Amino acid sequence: MSLHQLTAQYLQQLDPTHLTFPPPSTLIHPDAQSAIYNRMFNQSTAWPLPPVSYRIRVLKALIPQIEEGITDPDEDELNSDLLEEWTNLISLPKPSQIQQAQQLTFIKYTAPTSPPAPTAEPKTVITSESRGLIYAAGTTGFRTWEASLHLGTYLSTPTGAAHVNGKRVIELGAGTGFVSMFVAKYLQPQFVLATDREGALIGNMKECKGRNELGAEFNVGAWEWGTPLEYPGGDNTEIVEKEDLTFDVALGADLVRCFVPSSSSGSVANAEQLCRPTTPICCLSSLPLLRTFLITTMSKNSFSQLPYAIKTPSRPSWTPVQATTSRPNV
Ligand SMILES: C[S@@+](CC[C@H](N)C(=O)[O-])C[C@H]1O[C@@H](n2cnc3c(N)ncnc32)[C@H](O)[C@@H]1O
């Protein structure tokens, strides 16, 4: 089991009980422990570091695993940096549960590779999230939902990437902007416009644009379905001409009540109006639970189903995040 996968899961803040640790016989090796410290805990070499409470939980799970690998008490030992980190972290004042829930944190997602290619530069997307802020904020968009991870996984395949390569792409209800930023960063669209109705989410996406070193190929605009889509003013929008706000592809993930192709007010209907009149539409999801759609020029039939039926991620890094709370409808 590679440290690459563990690091990717950790930076994605997967629940510590779901982290895949290498076996104790590997963990006890000084080089392995040193790599773990530098990639996951060392403030000068690891970024973005997860919140303190998360790091404590991970060390609490990791240290016994390392200790299990001790076969020669004179030789084998726990890395002193990891030990010191543990001591430091548990001595810090604990934020209240409410503070923890509302804390925004940068999360780094690593794209799955098939087969694993640890030597290649990993494809990553950084988002700003607060997975506990769902109820307080009145929106479900402060975290990246499983549907987006599935859509990202699909788009990371050659078949998926072909839908957006060279295209003018809009995402509806983008939330953290994970899907849009992945498309803009790695799949060479003409441009991507990530939209959502929540101003705070728009602000987060704009901040993450810089964190992901994205330029004019990625734009963010506030848009509530059912209202006219306006030209997203501000920085770096020159690539989207005002009179040219039409799109080849519309993406949407986990838009709960909106997956109603026949509706005249849902997000699909809105997306349909935005696409060029000649654009045939198809939906990408036979999975009602995922409520993911992709509108593209690839199909001749309106809302026909593409053969997309990955129920659980088959690949390692974009693992679904465990929901900690039950959730309201949007
Ligand atoms: C469940 S979240 C999904 C976010 C993201 N697509 C994902 O999968 O992680 C639904 C998103 O749709 C947005 N939304 C809900 N109703 C909307 C509307 N009428 N117009 C625009 N955005 C809306 C919310 O603000 C939220 O960000």
Side-chain angles (χ1 to χ4, degrees):
M1 182 49 53
S2 84
L3 289 183
H4 292 279
Q5 183 175 359
L6 175 63
T7 310
Q9 293 175 336
Y10 169 86
L11 294 177
Q12 192 177 307
Q13 297 182 31
L14 200 61
D15 189 283
T17 56
H18 292 85
L19 293 177
T20 320
F21 291 116
S25 57
T26 303
L27 286 174
I28 195 61
H29 200 282
D31 289 348
Q33 292 185 56
S34 169
I36 287 175
Y37 174 71
N38 284 317
R39 290 181 199 180
M40 295 165 51
F41 298 98
N42 185 346
Q43 303 205 9
S44 52
T45 51
W47 191 88
L49 281 181
V52 168
S53 56
Y54 181 82
R55 280 180 272 162
I56 290 177
R57 290 181 66 208
V58 172
L59 278 174
K60 197 174 174 184
L62 174 67
I63 288 173
Q65 296 276 326
I66 299 174
E67 288 172 338
E68 220 178 282
I70 296 177
T71 51
D72 177 354
D74 292 332
E75 285 290 318
D76 301 333
E77 59 183 9
L78 192 61
N79 177 297
S80 56
D81 289 327
L82 284 176
L83 203 52
E84 198 181 321
E85 181 70 6
W86 166 253
T87 316
N88 286 344
L89 288 176
I90 56 172
S91 67
L92 293 174
K94 268 196 177 163
S96 71
Q97 287 211 328
I98 292 178
Q99 284 170 325
Q100 284 185 41
Q102 294 182 341
Q103 189 179 15
L104 274 173
T105 171
F106 287 115
I107 295 186
K108 188 192 262 187
Y109 292 89
T110 304
T113 50
S114 181
T119 49
E121 188 64 25
K123 292 177 179 167
T124 59
V125 175
I126 292 162
T127 59
S128 174
E129 305 194 16
S130 172
R131 292 179 182 163
L133 200 58
I134 297 167
Y135 287 107
T139 172
T140 48
F142 276 97
R143 57 167 290 181
T144 299
W145 290 94
E146 285 77 355
S148 270
L149 298 178
H150 280 276
L151 184 53
T153 300
Y154 175 71
L155 291 170
S156 74
T157 65
T159 320
H163 289 298
V164 291
N165 186 287
K167 301 285 171 49
R168 303 134 61 88
V169 181
I170 184 169
E171 185 180 2
L172 289 77
T176 64
F178 163 80
V179 170
S180 286
M181 289 190 282
F182 176 67
V183 171
K185 208 168 167 182
Y186 296 110
L187 303 182
Q188 291 85 41
Q190 192 173 325
F191 65 79
V192 182
L193 177 61
T195 68
D196 203 284
R197 69 175 168 190
E198 295 294 331
L201 298 175
I202 299 298
N204 288 348
M205 285 192 269
K206 282 185 175 165
E207 185 177 1
C208 289
K209 174 176 182 167
R211 299 277 177 184
N212 287 287
E213 298 177 359
L214 287 163
E217 72 281 16
F218 176 72
N219 300 288
V220 183
W223 181 42
E224 173 141 19
W225 313 322
T227 65
L229 175 64
E230 286 175 13
Y231 180 67
D235 58 336
N236 290 323
T237 50
E238 65 276 7
I239 202 162
V240 186
E241 296 296 335
K242 183 171 185 169
E243 59 281 359
D244 208 16
L245 275 180
T246 57
F247 301 87
D248 302 310
V249 181
L251 301 171
D254 207 344
L255 306 180
V256 179
R257 283 196 234 137
C258 317
F259 190 63
V260 187
S262 58
S263 155
S264 60
S265 59
S267 59
V268 173
N270 274 272
E272 194 173 8
Q273 284 154 18
L274 286 171
C275 290
R276 295 169 185 171
T278 52
T279 301
I281 307 285
C282 75
C283 281
L284 176 76
S285 180
S286 53
L287 305 175
L289 279 179
L290 291 183
R291 296 169 289 254
T292 300
F293 68 82
L294 177 146
I295 301 175
T296 172
T297 56
M298 300 294 283
S299 167
K300 290 205 171 78
N301 302 318
S302 282
F303 303 110
S304 63
Q305 304 285 328
L306 284 181
Y308 177 59
I310 303 169
K311 286 206 161 115
T312 52
S314 54
R315 295 194 277 167
S317 295
W318 278 343
T319 315
V321 181
Q322 304 303 310
T324 48
T325 48
S326 58
R327 43 173 305 181
N329 284 343
V330 285

